[in-house]
Amino acid sequence: MFSTIKRWLPAVRAHSRKRIIICGSDSAHYGLLQRLRSHCDVLALVTTEPWQHNIRLDDVPLRYPSEVPSLYRRLSIDCLVIATEDDRLEIERATADDAHWQPQWRIGESLLEELDAGDRRR
């Protein structure tokens, strides 16, 4: 019986993790990546630099802002994480033609506080 429960628990935990994209790739965003990855599945970072596109940073791919709506839908992303409001404006500018998506936006620090508080309650 206990072996069945042990096999089931990791699956439940894996499904309860948020699936996120971090909108940026500078040092502030890298700091968010380091701190959020213990709570969330970080599926992409966003960059506007052509030389960074399609490389991996700590095994997370870097993508262009114009790719975010497609990634958001295809990967069932829970929220887009920003460090500053400028990050959001960059994504919105690049995706202005795609009116069919309504992403959930979260500021990285507030998301971290919420996730840390949830961990403390358990």
Side-chain angles (χ1 to χ4, degrees), residues 66-77:
S66 61
E67 296 175 278
V68 173
S70 173
L71 292 169
Y72 189 86
R73 289 186 286 258
R74 189 167 35 97
L75 300 175
S76 301
I77 298 297

Side-chain angles (χ1 to χ4, degrees), residues 16-44:
S16 66
R17 291 172 58 91
K18 286 190 181 300
R19 297 168 62 86
I20 66 171
I21 293 175
I22 298 176
C23 299
S25 61
D26 65 15
S27 60
H29 303 98
Y30 183 73
L32 286 173
L33 169 65
Q34 294 303 309
R35 293 165 47 213
L36 283 168
R37 69 181 341 157
S38 63
H39 302 284
C40 303
D41 294 331
V42 181
L43 301 180

Side-chain angles (χ1 to χ4, degrees), residues 58-102:
D58 280 359
D59 207 33
V60 177
L62 279 86
R63 302 291 188 206
Y64 286 136
S66 61
E67 296 175 278
V68 173
S70 173
L71 292 169
Y72 189 86
R73 289 186 286 258
R74 189 167 35 97
L75 300 175
S76 301
I77 298 297
D78 294 305
C79 61
L80 301 178
V81 177
I82 57 175
T84 68
E85 198 59 35
D86 287 342
D87 299 333
R88 180 178 179 158
L89 294 174
E90 184 73 39
I91 302 297
E92 288 176 342
R93 242 187 326 269
T95 61
D97 293 338
D98 193 341
H100 300 294
W101 74 304
Q102 299 295 320

